[in-house]
Every structure is written in structure tokens, then in C-alpha cells.
């Protein structure tokens, strides 16, 4: 465990991060939804006056690598959101550790670093979404004290895709609302 | 309907917005969760180099007001999020119209303005969360083409509150993860 370092991601990490984003989407059984690229990550996270996200990576030092796999084996990507009730908050979009490096506490260390970030940025809470069949992830977050807001309060997630947005923007009807 | 104008919120609107945030929290049966203030909204939305949110308001002109109620009768508050799969996105935190002004198309016009904002900012989608018992809101969004991601893909929302975050940050255990 000592051989792994958690550090802020740099532009040079974007290929590694994109590789793991695709691995996570495969695991979540939604790989066709990945349209982003390493170049997009670099532009949105490192070349803006206000980057769209903050990313941490877990990296093995030379002494911890065996068999020539990648040095960067996990990441946690988060961004600010805003609760009208409680003010600024942090949202954990992805937390991922490569399967062959699980069970070494790397996910816990990434989550701890995100929790520190959240506190240092004055956030009122840290929120995230998990697929309902992903029991290892649900157990991981619950065991660390997360509350299941969908269960406790009944929140459901809705999304408008670009074609729907065009229709909505072009002409509201006069029905209720 | 012509008497109502949709416009970007100004710092002077924060008292009106805070009043409606509280009304919405009452309706959502979670009023005790509101800790924010008009001053907090002003600081977070208008006094930052990168404001934490964008807010639109629906306002009656003089000719449209009767009985001396407030001129600002609705709002839509949104902010950027980031999908690792699709890039920048917009999240609609709140959309609210005062009960006595519903059925006049104001909610539809606010949503249309948010959809325009989303397109003009290059967002890949617009996302939001609704309480599962709030059938009027669910019907409103579904009728405009939103997809229920919790139902279709199974997403559940989890949240760490500050005390949990302190515990998580202070010491990861060495269990799986």
C-alpha cells in the first residue's frame, strides 16, 4: 500500500484516465455512452480558467510495479455542484481502481482524499450515483457512512438528451407548468 | 403569459429567490434542510469569478400584477456538471413556479430558457432529480421528453454528510476497495 501515491492529476495523465473511464463504462455495461477523449479531458480539466472538474490519480512508484502494467491504476473525478438548500457541494462522478489492484486500500485512500478536498473547499456534502445492481460499490459507500438518498427520500434522476432539448427550447406549449 | 418576462437573475433578486427556495422545500416536505440565505446566494452566484450557479427568474411586468403579490414568481437554477463519458453538462437543481401562477405556461418557458442555455453552453445533456411521489413534476418532465434514468439504467443517489466526510478523510481502513 505504501508504494501507491495519491496525487492531483496532470495533463499528461489524461490518456491513462481515459483508458480507465472506458474500463469503468465497460464494467457498468454502458460502454456505448463514452464519447469523450483524452483531448477533451485535457481541454475541460486543464486548459480552462475554471476547470470543469478536479481529478486525483493513484500511482505506483517504480518499486511497486511488477509485470509492466500501467503505473496509474485508479482515479477519482469530482466537481462542484450547488445545493439551493445548503450551498456549494462536491459531486464524485467516478471513483475507480483497476480490478487487479483492488483489495489494497487504494479506493479507500482515493475516497479519503476526495473527502479532504470536499472539506478544504467548504462543501456541505459529497454526493454520487451508483447503479442499483453494483452491490460492491453500494457496500463500499454504505460502509463508509454514505446515506442512500434515493431510498431515504425517493430521489429519481431524469435526463434530457440534445434532441429533446432542441424541441423544448424551440417552442414551449401552453399546457400546465 | 405575455406579461411575464424570463430573464437572468440579478443580485437584487436573491431575497425573492430565497423565498421561493423555501416554498419549494416546504412543498418537497424537507424544509428543515434549508440552511442557505439570500446573502449566501449573492456570494455564491454573483460575487465569484466563477459563479457556482446560473439562475433565471420569471417576472411580471407592472401591467400583469394584480393584488400586490411579488413580481418575481418563478425561477430556474442550474450549474455545470461533467460527465466523464460525454463532457460538460448542465444540471437543473430547481425549477419552481408559485402555485397561484401555475397553468400559465411559465414553467414551460423557464424550461425552454434552460434548454437554450444548455445548448448555447455546449452541454451534452440536461439532468435533474425529482422526488418519486412528485407526480406533477414527473409528468411535466416526461411530457417534454426527459428520460427516467433511475428507472431505465438503475441509478441511485448517495450522499456523505460532513461528519461522515471527516471520518472518511481522517483514516481509511485497509478493507477492500
Amino acid at each position: 500500500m505504501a508504494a501507491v501515491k495519491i496525487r492531483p492529476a496532470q495533463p499528461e495523465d489524461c490518456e491513462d484516465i481515459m483508458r480507465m473511464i472506458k474500463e469503468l463504462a465497460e464494467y457498468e455495461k454502458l460502454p456505448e455512452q463514452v464519447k469523450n477523449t483524452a483531448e477533451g479531458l485535457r481541454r475541460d480539466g486543464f486548459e480552462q480558467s475554471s476547470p470543469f472538474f478536479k481529478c486525483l490519480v493513484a500511482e505506483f512508484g517504480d518499486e511497486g510495479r511488477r509485470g509492466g502494467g500501467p503505473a496509474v491504476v485508479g482515479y477519482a473525478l469530482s466537481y462542484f455542484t450547488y445545493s439551493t438548500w445548503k450551498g456549494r457541494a462536491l459531486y464524485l462522478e467516478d471513483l475507480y481502481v483497476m480490478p487487479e489492484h483492488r483489495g489494497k486500500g487504494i479506493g479507500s485512500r482515493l475516497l479519503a482524499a476526495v473527502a479532504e478536498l470536499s472539506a478544504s473547499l467548504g462543501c456541505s456534502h459529497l454526493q454520487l450515483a451508483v447503479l442499483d445492481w453494483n452491490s460492491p460499490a453500494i457496500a463500499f459507500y454504505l460502509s463508509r457512512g454514505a446515506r442512500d438518498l434515493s431510498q431515504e427520500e425517493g430521489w429519481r434522476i431524469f435526463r434530457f438528451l440534445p434532441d429533446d432539448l432542441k424541441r423544448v427550447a424551440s417552442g414551449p406549449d401552453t399546457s400546465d407548468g
Side-chain angles (χ1 to χ4, degrees), chain A:
Chain A
M1 184 165 126
V4 175
K5 189 175 150 188
I6 310 292
R7 61 165 176 81
Q10 304 299 323
E12 309 79 71
D13 295 314
C14 288
E15 272 76 16
D16 270 318
I17 299 167
M18 199 63 228
R19 166 181 57 78
M20 293 186 288
I21 286 171
K22 288 178 183 166
E23 290 172 18
L24 178 54
E26 287 281 350
Y27 173 73
E28 294 185 319
K29 302 175 189 165
L30 297 164
E32 73 287 356
Q33 296 204 18
V34 181
K35 311 293 177 200
N36 210 350
T37 60
E39 188 42 54
L41 287 177
R42 251 190 304 275
R43 180 193 62 226
D44 294 336
F46 300 94
E47 296 168 3
Q48 307 281 328
S49 57
S50 307
F52 283 90
F53 61 81
K54 304 160 202 309
C55 190
L56 299 165
V57 293
E59 183 181 41
F60 271 103
D62 288 340
E63 74 280 17
R65 292 175 66 191
R66 287 190 196 131
V72 175
V73 300
Y75 74 103
L77 188 144
S78 61
Y79 46 76
F80 279 124
T81 60
Y82 195 77
S83 161
T84 45
W85 299 351
K86 298 181 187 172
R88 72 186 72 172
L90 202 66
Y91 191 91
L92 180 58
E93 178 76 10
D94 287 354
L95 186 151
Y96 177 75
V97 177
M98 291 174 67
E100 55 270 44
H101 293 290
R102 291 183 194 157
K104 302 175 184 174
I106 299 174
S108 297
R109 289 184 59 202
L110 278 168
L111 184 63
V114 172
E116 271 172 37
L117 187 66
S118 174
S120 72
L121 295 170
C123 293
S124 62
H125 55 255
L126 174 68
Q127 198 157 307
L128 57 116
V130 179
L131 287 160
D132 54 9
W133 54 259
N134 190 355
S135 352
I138 292 174
F140 175 76
Y141 293 115
L142 286 178
S143 74
R144 277 136 187 100
R147 297 169 54 191
D148 181 340
L149 280 207
S150 289
Q151 199 165 64
E152 287 182 26
E153 297 177 357
W155 293 102
R156 271 160 68 180
I157 298 175
F158 288 76
R159 178 179 288 181
F160 287 98
L161 295 176
D163 283 350
D164 306 316
L165 286 176
K166 263 183 232 160
R167 216 166 15 245
V168 168
S170 67
D173 59 27
T174 52
S175 69
D176 192 26

